[in-house]
Amino acid sequence: MADFLLIAACTILAMVALAMFLVMRGPVDADRMMAVQLLGTGGIAVVLLAGSATGQSAVIDVALVLALLAAFAGLAFVKAGSPAQSSDAGDGQ
């Protein structure tokens, strides 16, 4: 079972490496952001699969940190892309 988990982790790692190509070459910013989200998700999967295969339980903390970083990256992208609202926009004038 450990061999299968390591093979699955290596396969996901290969897909994440392909996503790096999109990060560098994505035609629009949204494509790059989706590739970064794929990197975060793939990194979490690789860490958890490798941790399960080797029997290490501390990898859950690393996976949680990666999940938080991916979520914050998505929030920062959305926040940077949204138009700024001025404080007097609700005055009706």
Side-chain angles (χ1 to χ4, degrees), residues 5 28 93:
L5 292 175
V28 293
Q93 296 177 350

Side-chain angles (χ1 to χ4, degrees), residues 4-82:
F4 175 74
L5 292 175
L6 287 175
I7 290 171
C10 289
T11 304
I12 293 172
L13 191 60
M15 295 299 114
V16 169
L18 288 175
M20 281 300 294
F21 178 72
L22 286 177
V23 170
M24 299 297 181
R25 194 174 169 261
V28 293
D29 289 339
D31 289 339
R32 290 185 183 121
M33 189 62 221
M34 292 306 296
V36 169
Q37 290 294 323
L38 175 64
L39 287 171
T41 305
I44 293 166
V46 167
V47 166
L48 288 175
L49 285 171
S52 295
T54 58
Q56 296 177 353
S57 61
V59 297
I60 294 174
D61 295 334
V62 175
L64 286 173
V65 169
L66 284 174
L68 281 173
L69 288 175
F72 285 144
L75 287 173
F77 176 76
V78 170
K79 185 72 172 172
S82 66

